[in-house]
């Protein structure tokens, strides 16, 4: 294993850190309310951080999403890259890549995904989709939605297509979510069969785990700052053993989320089997992430109960990511079912909720090959 970022990946993460630090301030987040920050999204696209994901791969995306999570920046970066840029780069036809990737890179198009598959959408001959998905992240901002049908075939649907309707839904975190209803909406197929679904689900779980690593790191950083500057009975809170132990546990949980997300991303980029690794990263992000954001809010004492305090936003995002990735018990059941099957079992991928079986993973193509 080699988690050291390449030159392009490190540069993308450093640039993202500066952009998010400068533009995703508590004041701007409060002004955005439950919507997305259009100015910040434009800045990310203008400096090439969306288009660069084609070249930096999933590990590069995880590194940038960590920086987004630290500030809980309200932009559809994770959804657009995990359900748009990376799937198109890996599974799109040359025509689809020429037509859609430049638009996603400039922000003219925004993508999201109706994942994971719950068998709610069916496809008629000719690619007409019918069904509904209770909520899809960033649907209110999206121009395209990646939708798996009941057979786990992937379809790309335009949100302005006749027969496609998006109804606003408020979730725990302000992700501009919506309920997707399809009534014979026309769609174009992406990839060949359920293998593409398996690849997208594993990569998306890993990407959102990276986002959770950043959310937890930001929550913990705020808690540490509070505990070292707030005094009680003439001593800083950080001098109390109970506070130190709680913060130490949160730090170890955050590092576990980070390293499992890095490993899953690296393996997927390298074309190595990553079934268990993607599920493991998702489980850590869900289960440990919940503990960390609770600790971050608790260590703020009474201030943590203030809904306007910045740490509360980390709490909301951490709980939303816990629900979105799949509650810890659900993911653990998937992982256990997967591990109980022989590696050559054809049903192994289905046991992982669509994670790839060994031999199905394709290494990331170079930019030259994709073009």
């Amino acid at each position: 294993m080699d988690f050291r970022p390449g030159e392009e990946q490190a540069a993308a993460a450093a640039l993202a850190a500066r952009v998010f630090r400068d533009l995703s301030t508590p004041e701007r987040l409060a002004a955005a309310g439950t919507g997305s920050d259009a100015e910040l999204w434009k800045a990310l696209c203008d400096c090439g951080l969306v288009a660069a994901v084609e070249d930096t791969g999933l590990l590069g995306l995880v590194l940038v999403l960590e920086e987004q999570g630290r500030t809980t920046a309200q932009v559809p970066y994770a959804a657009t890259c995990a359900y748009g840029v990376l799937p198109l780069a890996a599974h799109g036809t040359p025509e689809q890549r020429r037509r859609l990737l430049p638009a996603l890179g400039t922000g003219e198009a925004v993508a999201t995904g109706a994942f994971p598959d719950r068998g709610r959408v069916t496809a008629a001959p000719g690619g007409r989709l019918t069904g509904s998905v209770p909520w899809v992240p960033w649907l209110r901002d999206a121009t395209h939605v990646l939708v798996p049908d009941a057979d786990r075939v992937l379809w790309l649907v335009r949100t302005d297509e006749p027969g496609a309707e998006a109804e606003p839904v408020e979730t725990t975190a302000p992700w501009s979510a919506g309920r997707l209803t399809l009534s014979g909406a026309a769609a174009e197929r992406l990839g060949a069969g359920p293998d593409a679904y398996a690849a997208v689900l594993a990569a998306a779980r890993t990407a959102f785990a990276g986002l959770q690593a950043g959310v937890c790191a930001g929550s913990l950083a705020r808690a540490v700052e509070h505990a070292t500057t707030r005094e009680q009975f003439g001593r800083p809170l950080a001098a109390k053993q109970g506070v130190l132990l709680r913060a130490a546990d949160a730090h170890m949980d955050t590092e576990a989320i980070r390293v499992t997300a890095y490993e899953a991303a690296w393996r997927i980029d390298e074309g190595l089997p990553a079934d268990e690794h993607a599920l493991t990263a998702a489980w850590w992000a869900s289960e440990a992430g919940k503990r960390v954001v609770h600790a971050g809010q608790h260590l703020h004492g009474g201030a943590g109960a203030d809904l306007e305090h910045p740490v509360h936003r980390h709490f909301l995002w951490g709980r939303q990511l816990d629900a979105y990735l799949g509650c810890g018990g659900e993911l653990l059941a998937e992982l256990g079912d997967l591990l109980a099957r022989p590696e050559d079992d054809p049903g192994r991928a289905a046991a992982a909720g669509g994670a790839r079986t060994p031999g199905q993973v394709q290494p990331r193509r170079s930019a030259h090959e994709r073009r």
Side-chain angles (χ1 to χ4, degrees), residues 67-137:
E67 301 303 331
Q68 179 186 356
R70 291 178 196 277
T71 62
T72 61
Q74 288 176 202
V75 286
Y77 187 79
T80 291
C81 296
Y83 297 124
V85 177
L86 289 179
L88 280 164
H91 308 289
T93 65
E95 188 278 330
Q96 286 174 324
R97 295 197 295 271
R98 283 194 301 270
R99 171 165 48 91
L100 295 172
L101 284 175
L104 289 170
T106 61
E108 180 185 347
V110 174
T112 187
F115 277 69
D117 161 57
R118 302 294 187 189
R120 297 188 178 100
V121 176
T122 58
R128 295 279 176 175
L129 303 187
T130 300
S132 64
V133 183
W135 77 275
V136 178

Coordinates of all heavy atoms in Angstrom, one line a residue, residues 67-137:
E67 N -11.1 18.2 2.6 CA -11.1 19.6 2.8 C -12.5 20.2 2.8 O -12.8 21.2 3.6 CB -10.2 20.3 1.7 CG -8.8 19.8 1.7 CD -8.1 19.9 3.0 OE1 -8.4 20.9 3.8 OE2 -7.2 19.1 3.3
Q68 N -13.4 19.7 1.9 CA -14.7 20.2 2.0 C -15.4 19.9 3.3 O -16.1 20.7 3.9 CB -15.6 19.6 0.8 CG -17.0 20.1 0.9 CD -17.9 19.4 -0.2 OE1 -17.5 18.6 -1.0 NE2 -19.2 19.7 -0.1
G69 N -15.2 18.7 3.8 CA -15.8 18.3 5.0 C -15.4 19.1 6.2 O -16.1 19.4 7.1
R70 N -14.1 19.6 6.2 CA -13.6 20.4 7.3 C -14.4 21.6 7.5 O -14.6 22.2 8.6 CB -12.2 20.7 7.1 CG -11.2 19.6 7.2 CD -9.8 20.1 6.9 NE -8.9 19.0 6.6 CZ -8.3 18.2 7.6 NH1 -8.4 18.5 8.8 NH2 -7.5 17.2 7.2
T71 N -15.0 22.2 6.4 CA -15.7 23.4 6.5 C -17.2 23.2 6.2 O -18.0 24.2 6.2 CB -15.2 24.4 5.5 OG1 -15.4 23.9 4.1 CG2 -13.7 24.7 5.7
T72 N -17.6 22.0 6.0 CA -19.0 21.6 5.6 C -19.5 22.6 4.5 O -20.6 23.1 4.6 CB -20.0 21.7 6.8 OG1 -20.0 23.0 7.4 CG2 -19.5 20.7 7.9
A73 N -18.7 22.8 3.5 CA -19.1 23.7 2.4 C -20.3 23.1 1.6 O -20.3 22.0 1.2 CB -17.9 23.8 1.4
Q74 N -21.3 24.0 1.4 CA -22.5 23.5 0.8 C -22.4 23.6 -0.7 O -23.0 24.6 -1.3 CB -23.7 24.3 1.4 CG -24.0 23.9 2.8 CD -25.1 24.7 3.4 OE1 -25.1 24.8 4.6 NE2 -25.9 25.4 2.7
V75 N -21.8 22.7 -1.3 CA -21.7 22.6 -2.8 C -21.8 21.1 -3.2 O -21.4 20.2 -2.4 CB -20.3 23.1 -3.3 CG1 -20.3 24.7 -3.2 CG2 -19.1 22.5 -2.6
P76 N -22.3 20.8 -4.4 CA -22.5 19.4 -4.8 C -21.3 18.8 -5.4 O -21.3 18.1 -6.4 CB -23.6 19.6 -5.9 CG -23.4 20.9 -6.5 CD -22.9 21.8 -5.4
Y77 N -20.1 19.0 -4.7 CA -18.9 18.5 -5.3 C -18.8 16.9 -5.2 O -18.5 16.3 -6.2 CB -17.7 19.1 -4.5 CG -16.4 18.7 -5.1 CD1 -15.9 19.4 -6.2 CD2 -15.6 17.7 -4.5 CE1 -14.6 19.1 -6.7 CE2 -14.3 17.4 -5.1 CZ -13.9 18.1 -6.2 OH -12.7 17.8 -6.7
A78 N -19.1 16.4 -4.1 CA -19.1 14.9 -3.9 C -20.0 14.2 -4.9 O -19.6 13.2 -5.6 CB -19.4 14.5 -2.5
A79 N -21.2 14.7 -5.0 CA -22.2 14.1 -5.9 C -21.8 14.2 -7.4 O -21.9 13.2 -8.1 CB -23.6 14.7 -5.6
T80 N -21.4 15.4 -7.8 CA -21.0 15.6 -9.2 C -19.9 14.7 -9.6 O -19.9 14.1 -10.7 CB -20.7 17.1 -9.4 OG1 -21.9 17.8 -9.3 CG2 -20.1 17.3 -10.8
C81 N -18.9 14.6 -8.7 CA -17.7 13.8 -9.1 C -18.0 12.3 -8.9 O -17.6 11.5 -9.8 CB -16.5 14.2 -8.2 SG -16.0 15.9 -8.4
A82 N -18.7 11.8 -7.9 CA -18.9 10.4 -7.7 C -19.9 9.8 -8.6 O -19.9 8.7 -8.9 CB -19.3 10.2 -6.2
Y83 N -20.9 10.7 -9.0 CA -22.0 10.2 -9.8 C -22.0 10.7 -11.2 O -22.8 10.4 -12.0 CB -23.3 10.5 -9.2 CG -23.5 9.8 -7.8 CD1 -23.8 10.5 -6.7 CD2 -23.4 8.4 -7.7 CE1 -24.0 9.9 -5.5 CE2 -23.5 7.8 -6.5 CZ -23.8 8.5 -5.4 OH -24.0 7.9 -4.1
G84 N -21.0 11.6 -11.5 CA -20.9 12.2 -12.8 C -19.6 12.0 -13.5 O -19.4 11.2 -14.4
V85 N -18.6 12.7 -13.0 CA -17.2 12.7 -13.6 C -16.6 11.3 -13.6 O -16.2 10.8 -14.7 CB -16.3 13.7 -12.9 CG1 -14.9 13.7 -13.5 CG2 -16.9 15.1 -13.0
L86 N -16.5 10.7 -12.5 CA -15.8 9.4 -12.5 C -16.6 8.3 -13.2 O -16.0 7.5 -14.0 CB -15.6 9.0 -11.0 CG -14.5 9.8 -10.3 CD1 -14.4 9.2 -8.8 CD2 -13.2 9.7 -11.0
P87 N -17.9 8.2 -13.1 CA -18.6 7.1 -13.9 C -18.5 7.4 -15.4 O -18.3 6.4 -16.1 CB -20.1 7.3 -13.4 CG -20.0 7.8 -12.0 CD -18.8 8.8 -12.1
L88 N -18.6 8.6 -15.8 CA -18.5 8.9 -17.2 C -17.1 8.6 -17.7 O -16.9 8.0 -18.8 CB -18.9 10.4 -17.5 CG -20.4 10.6 -17.6 CD1 -20.6 12.1 -17.4 CD2 -21.0 10.1 -18.9
A89 N -16.1 9.0 -16.9 CA -14.7 8.7 -17.4 C -14.4 7.3 -17.5 O -13.7 6.8 -18.4 CB -13.7 9.4 -16.4
A90 N -15.0 6.5 -16.6 CA -14.7 5.0 -16.6 C -15.6 4.2 -17.5 O -15.2 3.2 -18.0 CB -14.8 4.5 -15.1
H91 N -16.9 4.6 -17.6 CA -17.9 3.7 -18.2 C -18.6 4.4 -19.4 O -19.4 3.7 -20.1 CB -19.0 3.3 -17.2 CG -18.4 2.7 -16.0 ND1 -17.8 1.4 -16.0 CD2 -18.3 3.1 -14.7 CE1 -17.3 1.1 -14.8 NE2 -17.6 2.1 -14.0
G92 N -18.4 5.7 -19.6 CA -19.1 6.4 -20.7 C -18.5 6.0 -22.1 O -17.3 5.7 -22.2
T93 N -19.3 6.2 -23.1 CA -18.8 6.0 -24.4 C -18.0 7.3 -24.8 O -18.1 8.3 -24.1 CB -20.0 5.9 -25.4 OG1 -20.8 7.2 -25.4 CG2 -21.0 4.8 -25.0
P94 N -17.2 7.2 -25.8 CA -16.4 8.4 -26.3 C -17.3 9.6 -26.5 O -17.0 10.7 -26.2 CB -15.7 7.9 -27.5 CG -15.6 6.4 -27.3 CD -16.8 6.0 -26.6
E95 N -18.5 9.3 -27.1 CA -19.4 10.4 -27.4 C -20.0 11.0 -26.1 O -20.1 12.3 -25.9 CB -20.6 9.9 -28.3 CG -21.5 11.0 -28.8 CD -22.6 11.4 -27.7 OE1 -23.0 10.6 -26.9 OE2 -23.0 12.6 -27.8
Q96 N -20.3 10.2 -25.1 CA -20.8 10.7 -23.8 C -19.8 11.5 -23.1 O -20.1 12.5 -22.5 CB -21.3 9.5 -23.0 CG -22.6 8.9 -23.4 CD -22.9 7.6 -22.6 OE1 -22.1 6.9 -22.2 NE2 -24.2 7.4 -22.3
R97 N -18.5 11.0 -23.1 CA -17.5 11.7 -22.5 C -17.2 13.1 -23.1 O -17.0 14.1 -22.4 CB -16.2 10.9 -22.4 CG -16.3 9.6 -21.6 CD -14.9 9.1 -21.3 NE -14.2 8.6 -22.5 CZ -14.3 7.4 -23.0 NH1 -15.0 6.5 -22.4 NH2 -13.5 7.1 -24.0
R98 N -17.2 13.1 -24.4 CA -17.0 14.4 -25.1 C -18.1 15.4 -24.8 O -17.9 16.6 -24.7 CB -16.9 14.2 -26.7 CG -15.6 13.6 -27.1 CD -15.4 13.7 -28.6 NE -16.5 13.1 -29.3 CZ -16.5 11.8 -29.7 NH1 -15.4 11.0 -29.5 NH2 -17.5 11.3 -30.4
R99 N -19.3 14.9 -24.7 CA -20.5 15.8 -24.6 C -20.7 16.2 -23.1 O -21.1 17.4 -22.9 CB -21.7 15.0 -25.1 CG -23.1 15.7 -24.8 CD -24.2 15.1 -25.6 NE -24.2 13.7 -25.5 CZ -24.9 12.9 -24.6 NH1 -25.6 13.6 -23.7 NH2 -24.8 11.6 -24.6
L100 N -20.4 15.4 -22.2 CA -20.8 15.7 -20.8 C -19.7 16.1 -19.9 O -19.9 16.9 -19.0 CB -21.6 14.4 -20.2 CG -22.9 14.1 -20.9 CD1 -23.4 12.8 -20.4 CD2 -23.9 15.2 -20.7
L101 N -18.5 15.5 -20.1 CA -17.4 15.8 -19.1 C -17.0 17.3 -19.1 O -16.8 17.9 -18.0 CB -16.2 14.9 -19.4 CG -16.4 13.5 -18.9 CD1 -15.2 12.6 -19.3 CD2 -16.5 13.4 -17.4
P102 N -16.9 17.9 -20.3 CA -16.5 19.4 -20.2 C -17.6 20.2 -19.5 O -17.3 21.1 -18.8 CB -16.4 19.7 -21.7 CG -16.1 18.5 -22.4 CD -16.9 17.4 -21.7
A103 N -18.9 19.9 -19.7 CA -20.0 20.6 -19.0 C -19.9 20.4 -17.5 O -20.1 21.4 -16.8 CB -21.3 20.2 -19.6
L104 N -19.6 19.2 -17.1 CA -19.5 19.0 -15.6 C -18.3 19.7 -15.1 O -18.3 20.3 -14.0 CB -19.3 17.5 -15.4 CG -20.6 16.6 -15.6 CD1 -20.2 15.1 -15.5 CD2 -21.7 17.0 -14.6
G105 N -17.2 19.8 -15.8 CA -16.0 20.4 -15.4 C -16.2 21.9 -15.2 O -15.6 22.5 -14.3
T106 N -17.0 22.5 -16.0 CA -17.1 24.0 -16.0 C -18.3 24.4 -15.0 O -18.5 25.6 -14.8 CB -17.4 24.6 -17.4 OG1 -18.6 24.0 -17.9 CG2 -16.3 24.3 -18.3
G107 N -19.1 23.4 -14.6 CA -20.2 23.7 -13.7 C -21.5 24.0 -14.5 O -22.5 24.2 -13.9
E108 N -21.4 23.9 -15.8 CA -22.6 24.1 -16.7 C -23.6 23.0 -16.4 O -24.8 23.1 -16.4 CB -22.2 24.1 -18.1 CG -23.4 24.2 -19.1 CD -23.0 24.1 -20.5 OE1 -21.8 24.1 -20.8 OE2 -23.9 24.0 -21.4
A109 N -23.1 21.8 -16.1 CA -23.9 20.6 -15.7 C -23.5 20.2 -14.3 O -22.4 20.3 -13.8 CB -23.7 19.5 -16.6
V110 N -24.5 19.7 -13.5 CA -24.3 19.2 -12.2 C -24.9 17.8 -12.1 O -26.1 17.6 -12.5 CB -24.9 20.1 -11.1 CG1 -24.8 19.5 -9.7 CG2 -24.2 21.5 -11.1
A111 N -24.2 16.9 -11.5 CA -24.7 15.5 -11.5 C -25.0 15.0 -10.0 O -24.4 15.6 -9.1 CB -23.7 14.5 -12.1
T112 N -25.8 14.1 -9.9 CA -26.1 13.4 -8.6 C -26.5 12.0 -8.9 O -26.6 11.6 -10.1 CB -27.1 14.1 -7.8 OG1 -27.1 13.5 -6.5 CG2 -28.5 14.1 -8.4
G113 N -26.8 11.2 -7.9 CA -27.1 9.8 -8.1 C -28.2 9.3 -7.1 O -28.2 9.7 -6.0
A114 N -29.1 8.5 -7.7 CA -30.1 7.9 -6.8 C -29.6 6.5 -6.3 O -30.1 5.5 -6.7 CB -31.4 7.7 -7.7
F115 N -28.6 6.6 -5.4 CA -28.0 5.4 -4.9 C -28.2 5.2 -3.4 O -28.4 6.2 -2.7 CB -26.5 5.5 -5.2 CG -26.1 5.1 -6.6 CD1 -26.4 5.8 -7.7 CD2 -25.3 3.9 -6.8 CE1 -26.1 5.5 -8.9 CE2 -25.0 3.5 -8.0 CZ -25.3 4.3 -9.1
P116 N -28.1 4.0 -2.9 CA -28.0 2.7 -3.6 C -29.3 2.3 -4.2 O -30.3 2.8 -3.9 CB -27.5 1.7 -2.6 CG -28.1 2.2 -1.3 CD -28.1 3.7 -1.4
D117 N -29.2 1.2 -5.1 CA -30.4 0.7 -5.7 C -31.3 0.1 -4.7 O -30.9 -0.7 -3.8 CB -30.0 -0.3 -6.8 CG -31.2 -1.3 -7.1 OD1 -32.3 -0.7 -7.5 OD2 -31.1 -2.5 -6.9
R118 N -32.6 0.4 -4.7 CA -33.6 -0.2 -3.8 C -34.7 -0.9 -4.6 O -35.7 -1.2 -4.0 CB -34.2 0.8 -2.8 CG -33.2 1.5 -1.9 CD -32.5 0.6 -1.0 NE -31.6 1.3 0.0 CZ -30.8 0.8 0.8 NH1 -30.7 -0.6 0.8 NH2 -30.1 1.5 1.6
G119 N -34.5 -1.0 -5.9 CA -35.5 -1.7 -6.7 C -36.7 -0.8 -7.0 O -37.8 -1.4 -7.3
R120 N -36.6 0.5 -6.8 CA -37.7 1.4 -7.0 C -38.0 1.9 -8.4 O -39.0 2.4 -8.7 CB -37.6 2.6 -6.1 CG -37.5 2.3 -4.6 CD -37.5 3.6 -3.8 NE -37.5 3.3 -2.3 CZ -36.4 3.4 -1.6 NH1 -35.2 3.7 -2.1 NH2 -36.5 3.2 -0.3
V121 N -37.0 1.7 -9.3 CA -37.1 2.2 -10.6 C -37.0 1.1 -11.6 O -36.2 0.2 -11.5 CB -36.0 3.2 -10.9 CG1 -36.1 3.7 -12.4 CG2 -36.1 4.4 -10.0
T122 N -37.9 1.1 -12.6 CA -37.9 0.0 -13.7 C -37.7 0.7 -15.0 O -38.1 1.9 -15.2 CB -39.2 -0.7 -13.7 OG1 -40.3 0.2 -13.9 CG2 -39.5 -1.5 -12.4
A123 N -37.1 0.0 -15.9 CA -36.8 0.5 -17.3 C -37.6 -0.3 -18.3 O -37.5 -1.5 -18.3 CB -35.3 0.4 -17.5
A124 N -38.3 0.5 -19.1 CA -39.0 -0.1 -20.3 C -38.1 -0.2 -21.5 O -37.1 0.5 -21.5 CB -40.3 0.7 -20.6
P125 N -38.4 -1.0 -22.5 CA -37.6 -1.0 -23.7 C -37.4 0.4 -24.3 O -38.4 1.2 -24.3 CB -38.3 -1.9 -24.6 CG -39.1 -2.8 -23.7 CD -39.4 -2.0 -22.5
G126 N -36.2 0.8 -24.7 CA -36.0 2.1 -25.2 C -35.5 3.1 -24.2 O -35.2 4.2 -24.4
G127 N -35.4 2.6 -22.9 CA -34.8 3.5 -21.9 C -35.8 4.4 -21.2 O -35.4 5.5 -20.9
R128 N -37.0 4.0 -21.1 CA -38.0 4.9 -20.4 C -38.1 4.4 -19.0 O -38.4 3.3 -18.7 CB -39.4 4.8 -21.1 CG -39.4 5.3 -22.5 CD -39.5 6.8 -22.5 NE -39.5 7.4 -23.9 CZ -39.7 8.7 -24.1 NH1 -39.9 9.5 -23.1 NH2 -39.6 9.2 -25.3
L129 N -37.9 5.3 -18.0 CA -37.8 5.0 -16.6 C -39.1 5.4 -15.9 O -39.6 6.4 -16.1 CB -36.6 5.6 -15.9 CG -35.2 5.3 -16.5 CD1 -34.1 5.9 -15.6 CD2 -35.0 3.9 -16.7
T130 N -39.5 4.5 -15.0 CA -40.7 4.7 -14.2 C -40.4 4.3 -12.7 O -39.8 3.3 -12.5 CB -41.9 3.9 -14.7 OG1 -42.2 4.4 -16.0 CG2 -43.1 4.2 -13.8
G131 N -40.8 5.1 -11.8 CA -40.6 4.8 -10.4 C -40.2 6.1 -9.6 O -40.2 7.2 -10.2
S132 N -39.9 5.9 -8.3 CA -39.6 7.1 -7.5 C -38.5 6.8 -6.5 O -38.4 5.6 -6.1 CB -40.8 7.6 -6.8 OG -41.3 6.7 -5.9
V133 N -37.7 7.8 -6.1 CA -36.7 7.6 -5.1 C -37.0 8.7 -4.0 O -37.1 9.9 -4.4 CB -35.3 7.8 -5.7 CG1 -34.2 7.6 -4.6 CG2 -35.0 6.9 -6.9
P134 N -37.2 8.3 -2.8 CA -37.6 9.2 -1.7 C -36.8 10.5 -1.6 O -37.3 11.6 -1.4 CB -37.6 8.4 -0.5 CG -37.7 7.0 -0.9 CD -37.0 6.9 -2.2
W135 N -35.5 10.3 -1.7 CA -34.6 11.5 -1.6 C -33.3 11.3 -2.3 O -32.8 10.2 -2.2 CB -34.5 12.0 -0.2 CG -33.5 11.3 0.6 CD1 -33.7 10.1 1.3 CD2 -32.1 11.6 0.9 NE1 -32.6 9.7 2.0 CE2 -31.6 10.6 1.7 CE3 -31.3 12.7 0.4 CZ2 -30.2 10.7 2.1 CZ3 -30.0 12.7 0.9 CH2 -29.5 11.7 1.7
V136 N -32.8 12.3 -3.0 CA -31.6 12.2 -3.7 C -30.8 13.5 -3.3 O -31.3 14.6 -3.4 CB -31.8 12.2 -5.2 CG1 -30.5 12.2 -6.0 CG2 -32.7 11.0 -5.6
P137 N -29.5 13.4 -2.9 CA -28.8 14.6 -2.5 C -28.5 15.5 -3.6 O -28.2 15.1 -4.8 CB -27.5 13.9 -1.9 CG -27.3 12.6 -2.6 CD -28.7 12.1 -2.8

